[in-house]
Amino acid sequence: MTETTHTQTTPPGGAARPRSPEFRLAADALRGLRQDLFHDAFAYRPLPRRDADGRLARRSGRIKDYAAWTPHATVAALGLVAMLFALASGYPGLPAALCALLALVPVLLTLARPVGAFWFSLAASTACAVIGGADGWSDWPWLPGSFLSHLVVLTVVALRTRPRAAAWMWALTAVYGFLAENVLGSGHYNTNVGPMLVVSALLLLIVTVRHIRREAAQEVSAQQTVTAVERSRRTLLEERTTIARELHDVVAHHMSVVAIQAEAAPYRVENPPPELEKAFATIRENAVAALTELRRVLGVVRAEDYEAPDAPQPTLADLDGLLANVRETGLEVEKTVTGAVRELPQGVELSAYRIVQEALSNTLRHAPGAGARVEIGYVLGGLGLRIVNGAPPASALLKPSPGAGHGITGMRERVAMLSGEMTAGPAADGGYEVTVFLPVPVDIAIEGEA
């Protein structure tokens, strides 16, 4: 049996004892005090101009030009009111003028150096109390002008900083009032420390609630933006999944036909040469292998409860049935076809049918009671679609239902899948117009006609 002795070496500075939660809380509070009110207290932080989105800013003329300076004018006006209070309640002559100036300067200083304005307001209140408070029956330690000036400074600085700074300013104001009342207030019988703390606490509480509501509104707005982006992305993925399923059915059908025709082709020729039989066998093997890989890769986009449709996928030949169903809902829809009607690739036919279907569904949802028109143009290079509806009549019984634009997203995905072009937007008459062009190679179009 081996006995092992473990010796722990104590660091030179002694083992660090764990700090209590109260100590850490006090240290964090003092760190916040230093950061909010002492670090770069007199740094230059000008009050920004007001955003030009308010009610005054939307007006024309000089009011619109001066609306951005409304906060600055408001602060300056409050400073002038504090100065008038100082002039009206102070001693005549030079003391009254100095107290008025000391009431105005801290308020104006909040426009450029907000934290420094708080410290300057405490110093100015002390100086004004010494200059104009010789009478023992006057208010102490804030004269009327200084009282209003300090309240304005607290409110403006709290608006421009964080709620934690507002709490520290109120606490320092309480400490200043206690010291001024008990250390420097001998011979003074009227104290206004209590009213200062009560009124300032009420004002700072209002400002803090405003801060909290604004931050909450910003968080809600940011969350709504993220939710909208995620919803749009999810809708896009779902639409791509639907398209992939449909394409899988189309391509799988064609590959199965190729495999069957390649297997049956040698029996249609009497005494086929071995090279021809081998070529057809190779074609069939490649078709079967491609079909297997296609099902393996695209099988992941199928839901567990997804079942392949028994009926064939719709084409433009089935469009009349769709329009008949839409007309039964009360939507007046017209169909116009130009060009030589021909059979197009099944993917183009299916996408064109789905685009017309979605556009008419949007008309039913967003423009109830309005008429619609479907235009189909067969050209040499592809297929053109134009679905336009008028504005909903004012006498319509049904109201338009809001949507998230998922239908337009799905149509764009189908058009992008076929390398086509699409435009969608309001029409000149107040309705909505969707224009799509789906390209079709000329050789495929000619083969379809044959």
Side-chain angles (χ1 to χ4, degrees):
M1 181 177 181
T2 305
E3 182 177 348
T4 304
T5 303
H6 176 69
T7 304
Q8 183 175 1
T9 304
T10 303
R17 292 188 300 176
R19 302 296 186 180
S20 62
E22 293 79 5
F23 179 85
R24 290 197 298 269
L25 182 62
D28 292 340
L30 293 177
R31 190 180 303 110
L33 172 62
R34 183 173 65 253
Q35 180 181 358
D36 293 337
L37 297 182
F38 287 94
H39 181 67
D40 289 338
F42 285 86
Y44 182 65
R45 300 168 187 171
L47 179 65
R49 296 177 59 183
R50 185 179 183 181
D51 295 335
D53 58 354
R55 184 171 59 183
L56 293 176
R58 287 193 294 266
R59 297 185 178 182
S60 58
R62 294 180 176 269
I63 296 180
K64 181 178 180 180
D65 298 333
Y66 297 146
W69 300 102
T70 302
H72 304 74
T74 303
V75 174
L78 292 175
L80 291 176
V81 173
M83 184 181 67
L84 293 178
F85 264 70
L87 288 174
S89 58
Y91 292 104
L94 183 59
L98 289 177
C99 289
L101 184 62
L102 291 175
L104 174 65
V105 172
V107 177
L108 297 180
L109 193 60
T110 59
L111 299 176
R113 307 179 191 276
V115 178
F118 168 73
W119 294 112
F120 189 83
S121 178
L122 292 180
S125 299
T126 304
C128 190
V130 173
I131 294 174
D135 185 3
W137 297 100
S138 60
D139 291 331
W140 184 267
W142 286 281
L143 297 183
S146 301
F147 190 93
L148 179 59
S149 175
H150 192 66
L151 287 177
V152 173
V153 169
L154 288 176
T155 305
V156 176
V157 176
L159 287 171
R160 299 196 57 192
T161 55
R162 64 184 69 183
R164 186 179 65 183
W168 279 120
M169 287 190 299
W170 185 88
L172 291 176
T173 299
V175 172
Y176 168 80
F178 176 79
L179 294 177
E181 182 180 2
N182 293 276
V183 177
L184 303 176
S186 58
H188 292 83
Y189 305 102
N190 293 331
T191 176
N192 53 9
V193 175
M196 168 61 75
L197 295 182
V198 172
V199 177
S200 61
L202 180 61
L203 293 175
L204 294 180
L205 179 61
I206 295 174
V207 172
T208 302
V209 171
R210 179 180 180 274
H211 276 300
I212 295 174
R213 290 190 59 183
R214 183 174 60 181
E215 292 177 359
Q218 292 176 352
E219 291 180 1
V220 170
S221 178
Q223 187 63 34
Q224 289 178 346
T225 302
V226 173
T227 303
V229 172
E230 292 297 330
R231 186 186 300 113
S232 177
R233 185 179 302 172
R234 183 173 61 252
T235 302
L236 186 63
L237 293 177
E238 291 176 354
E239 189 64 32
R240 288 179 177 178
T241 300
T242 302
I243 296 172
R245 291 171 180 171
E246 295 175 351
L247 281 181
H248 171 267
D249 298 333
V250 172
V251 177
H253 168 73
H254 288 297
M255 295 301 295
S256 300
V257 172
V258 170
I260 294 174
Q261 290 181 347
E263 184 177 6
Y267 299 100
R268 297 176 181 272
V269 181
E270 186 178 357
N271 298 323
E275 293 81 2
L276 183 61
E277 292 183 354
K278 184 178 180 181
F280 279 118
T282 303
I283 293 174
R284 181 183 181 282
E285 291 176 359
N286 291 335
V288 172
L291 184 60
T292 302
E293 290 296 328
L294 179 65
R295 287 173 176 170
R296 180 182 301 137
V297 173
L298 295 184
V300 298
V301 302
R302 293 188 184 274
E304 295 180 358
D305 56 348
Y306 174 78
E307 296 180 359
D310 298 331
Q313 295 295 323
T315 63
L316 289 177
D318 305 313
L319 197 58
D320 290 335
L322 173 65
L323 299 183
N325 292 334
V326 171
R327 291 190 183 101
E328 292 180 357
T329 64
L331 175 64
E332 298 181 1
V333 57
E334 301 177 357
K335 173 188 171 184
T336 304
V337 180
T338 58
V341 179
R342 63 186 185 276
E343 184 179 355
L344 299 175
Q346 190 171 359
V348 176
E349 294 262 354
L350 175 60
S351 295
Y353 181 91
R354 295 302 187 195
I355 289 172
V356 174
Q357 184 182 38
E358 185 60 41
L360 294 179
S361 299
N362 288 341
T363 301
L364 290 174
R365 286 193 298 266
H366 306 302
R373 186 171 65 257
V374 178
E375 299 177 2
I376 304 175
Y378 290 87
V379 297
L380 186 60
L383 178 70
L385 299 173
R386 182 172 180 266
I387 306 96
V388 58
N389 63 268
S395 59
L397 298 178
L398 299 177
K399 299 300 181 181
S401 60
H406 296 166
I408 298 296
T409 301
M411 288 189 281
R412 292 191 186 278
E413 282 297 309
R414 294 182 180 273
V415 173
M417 174 191 65
L418 298 174
S419 301
E421 298 178 358
M422 172 181 167
T423 59
D429 58 352
Y432 202 82
E433 179 179 350
V434 177
T435 305
V436 175
F437 178 76
L438 302 177
V440 177
V442 179
D443 53 349
I444 297 181
I446 296 177
E447 183 179 348
E449 293 178 356

